[in-house]
Amino acid sequence: MKYLDEFRDPTLAATLVENIHRRSTRPIRIMEFCGTHTVSIFKHGIRQLLPPTIEMLSGPGCPVCVTANADLDWAIAVAAEPEVILITFGDLLRVPGSRSSLEKAKADGAEVRVVYSTLDALQMARDNPDRAVVFLGIGFETTAPTIAASVLQAEAEGVTNYYILSMHKLTPPAAKAILDLGKARLDGIIGPGHVTTVIGSQAWEFVPRDYGLSCVIAGFEPLDILQGIYTLVDRTEAAQPEVTNVYSRSVRPEGNKVALEYMYRVFEVCAADWRGMGEVRASGLKFRERYRHFDARERFEVHPGPALEPPGCLCGDVIRGAKTPPECGLYGKVCTPHHPVGPCMVSSEGTCAAYYLYAGEED
Ligand code: SF4
């Protein structure tokens, strides 16, 4: 299959693995920021191919996992409003909030619908002019431009029953927060490939400049990831920290200017609440004044009560790279993909789910 098989070539993979083993002489801790990388690393058995000098950690790169319970509780509460049709991407449905989940709210009679694209959400608003359609704006810089585009389209068409609950997160500030916390003791970062297609590799220059670490922007196929790991090992061994883009078939230094223009026309930067990290300054997106009539929080006043975390769940630590899933006492016993306790086990890109599905007992 063109564009896929060439990035899964076993001979080239073996050469890269050999190069990594030859180049790596001292311990190095690498965090992959993105949940798609986490799943690909586990699925292709990449951890098992690496020398013992390399420790791989998973970061906060799953939008479902990092959504704070306070935001999820708000969404569950607004879904109960009789005039509301709540629209969400599927992964969020089963995530337990403080007292309920969107799945339970739906079972209790709330109108909760799942979509696969932003355009489907806007279409639901067009199809239901007598209802208030609230779309959960969850995701990183990859999703926010598409939601901004749907807002601009709604404005152009005069759609007045379409609202967004903006829970968007920006990735570089979260990486900064993790590096500032210092608990993960990182030597290098595999930056998120999809996100960096939008924001550009230049957005990661702070990693070598402010922290003296290397950052590699990699794609999601096995050769992409192995090339990324080799690059991080090589830069660390040479003590020459830098940002390297090994995903040049998708990522440019300046990113996607059109997507960024859409995003910042509708939204502006604000502080955001992250699960496991609390409030991180300049890491979220809120509506600009001009588009505030699309903001679900402006339209609805609901009081979901105080946010609570599931007892015993270490998702916050897992997200920060401070703990691995098997260090959680609930992992694999009480908490499984069939009966998830925390979001990291619910989401298809969650670290706990990836460990459970692919790592077996050995980790
Ligand atoms: Fe939370 Fe379950 Fe992961 Fe433990 S195993 S951190 S309870 S999601």
Side-chain angles (χ1 to χ4, degrees):
M1 192 187 301
K2 190 157 172 55
Y3 302 129
L4 201 53
D5 284 351
E6 59 252 58
F7 295 101
R8 294 182 176 182
D9 184 304
T11 309
L12 288 176
T15 304
L16 277 168
V17 169
E18 200 180 310
N19 290 344
I20 291 169
H21 278 256
R22 197 176 302 130
R23 189 72 177 107
S24 183
T25 63
R26 53 198 161 105
I28 172 173
R29 282 163 71 91
I30 295 173
M31 175 178 276
E32 84 273 357
F33 191 96
C34 173
T36 313
H37 276 138
T38 301
V39 171
S40 189
I41 286 167
F42 277 108
K43 192 171 164 185
H44 296 289
I46 287 175
R47 286 184 177 215
Q48 287 86 340
L49 299 174
L50 300 177
T53 41
I54 301 178
E55 188 177 352
M56 299 293 296
L57 296 166
S58 303
C62 160
V64 169
C65 303
V66 299
T67 296
N69 259 6
D71 287 337
L72 185 54
D73 293 345
W74 201 95
I76 294 165
V78 88
E81 296 287 306
E83 67 180 297
V84 166
I85 299 175
L86 191 99
I87 313 285
T88 179
F89 293 128
D91 266 5
L92 207 56
L93 210 58
R94 296 175 65 217
V95 176
S98 302
R99 283 160 284 275
S100 184
S101 67
L102 289 170
E103 191 175 50
K104 283 184 192 148
K106 187 174 162 71
D108 290 341
E111 190 150 356
V112 179
R113 298 191 196 171
V114 172
V115 292
Y116 295 97
S117 98
T118 307
L119 293 178
D120 292 342
L122 179 55
Q123 188 57 43
M124 259 182 226
R126 291 189 195 104
D127 293 344
N128 295 277
D130 53 338
R131 305 287 296 276
V133 170
V134 177
F135 184 34
L136 302 186
I138 179 172
F140 298 122
E141 294 92 330
T142 36
T143 318
T146 69
I147 291 189
S150 77
V151 167
L152 294 171
Q153 185 65 28
E155 169 108 323
E157 292 179 24
V159 176
T160 57
N161 63 326
Y162 183 56
Y163 303 95
I164 307 292
L165 175 59
S166 179
M167 300 182 278
H168 295 108
K169 307 275 190 296
L170 303 175
T171 47
K176 272 185 202 166
I178 286 176
L179 291 169
D180 286 340
L181 276 171
K183 289 204 172 143
R185 294 176 284 110
L186 300 178
D187 299 291
I189 290 178
I190 299 179
H194 297 139
V195 161
T196 309
T197 300
V198 175
I199 65 175
S201 53
Q202 287 166 350
W204 298 96
E205 288 295 344
F206 72 91
V207 178
R209 187 188 62 231
D210 299 344
Y211 298 93
L213 307 178
S214 284
C215 176
V216 68
I217 311 305
F220 300 93
E221 294 303 323
L223 294 192
D224 291 317
I225 294 168
L226 288 170
Q227 180 65 45
I229 293 170
Y230 174 78
T231 304
L232 283 177
V233 169
D234 180 62
R235 295 297 78 204
T236 306
E237 292 279 346
Q240 289 176 346
E242 63 180 31
V243 175
T244 312
N245 177 15
V246 298
Y247 194 29
S248 56
R249 67 185 186 280
S250 178
V251 172
R252 298 191 193 115
E254 71 280 12
N256 183 329
K257 287 183 176 172
V258 175
L260 289 171
E261 198 278 322
Y262 272 78
M263 186 169 95
Y264 286 118
R265 200 190 311 172
V266 173
F267 298 112
E268 60 187 338
V269 174
C270 65
D273 195 10
W274 293 64
R275 186 188 298 272
M277 290 194 282
E279 186 173 291
V280 178
R281 64 180 284 276
S283 71
L285 292 171
K286 67 176 183 182
F287 276 95
R288 290 186 182 278
E289 185 65 43
R290 162 89 178 74
Y291 297 100
R292 209 154 279 171
H293 50 291
F294 288 98
D295 188 345
R297 289 189 196 270
E298 293 283 316
R299 169 69 175 75
F300 296 97
E301 192 178 334
V302 292
H303 302 282
L308 309 167
E309 295 300 324
C313 172
L314 300 185
C315 277
D317 294 315
V318 171
I319 286 164
R320 291 193 306 273
K323 291 260 190 318
T324 62
E327 291 180 79
C328 171
L330 307 184
Y331 172 80
K333 303 179 188 97
V334 180
C335 182
T336 66
H338 289 301
H339 299 284
V341 175
C344 296
M345 192 61 95
V346 179
S347 170
S348 59
E349 295 194 340
T351 305
C352 297
Y355 261 79
Y356 189 88
L357 292 173
Y358 298 112
E361 294 300 311
E362 62 197 86
D363 285 283

